[in-house]
Amino acid sequence: QVQLVESGGGLVQAGGSLRLSCAASGGIFSKHVMGWFRQAPGKEREFVTYISWSGGTVNYADSVKGRFTISRDNAKNTVALQMNSLKPEDTAVYYCVAASTVNSGTYYYQTSYNYWGQGTQVTVSS
């Protein structure tokens, strides 16, 4: 069983940057695909980004493409989300997620991930 703990959230001005981290423990982390989802107030939880277990494949939601970058360090059991050019619309609770495998074309589904962190709040001011 994989346990995920997010950190790095906080308050930042629009146009600024923030780096989220996710520490994993309790399993063979290097073989898990990872990702980030977020949920803004009054909104449905939405897909943000995905990274394969090898780190060779990444996918991003259109809303963050070009601004956010996901990376992983399997030796350290960590995943990071670098967020640049932040907008007020990025304000949300960000969740780190993991799964042993994700079927083709399902990486953006919430139900594809069986491990979820507690979330970290990101607030972007105008």
Side-chain angles (χ1 to χ4, degrees):
Q1 180 172 276
V2 176
Q3 297 178 13
L4 308 174
V5 180
E6 304 97 331
S7 62
L11 176 65
V12 65
Q13 296 182 29
S17 298
L18 206 60
R19 186 178 180 86
L20 306 183
S21 295
C22 176
S25 63
I28 45 175
F29 178 78
S30 63
K31 296 297 184 180
H32 282 71
V33 298
M34 306 288 296
W36 292 87
F37 283 75
R38 68 185 183 184
Q39 187 165 25
K43 301 290 186 179
E44 293 288 322
R45 189 154 49 192
E46 65 175 349
F47 167 77
V48 177
T49 182
Y50 157 91
I51 186 167
S52 64
W53 68 266
S54 67
T57 301
V58 296
N59 290 286
Y60 298 95
D62 289 340
S63 59
V64 306
K65 196 171 298 181
R67 300 187 299 119
F68 290 12
T69 303
I70 187 172
S71 61
R72 67 189 298 165
D73 187 337
N74 290 341
K76 297 180 179 179
N77 289 356
T78 58
V79 174
L81 181 64
Q82 179 66 45
M83 305 182 294
N84 299 326
S85 301
L86 283 163
K87 306 174 181 179
E89 303 92 273
D90 296 318
T91 295
V93 176
Y94 284 71
Y95 298 91
C96 179
V97 300
S100 59
T101 185
V102 172
N103 292 330
S104 179
T106 69
Y107 60 86
Y108 54 90
Y109 290 157
Q110 294 178 227
T111 54
S112 293
Y113 304 91
N114 54 334
Y115 299 108
W116 291 72
Q118 291 296 109
T120 185
Q121 177 70 48
V122 172
T123 302
V124 184
S125 62
S126 299

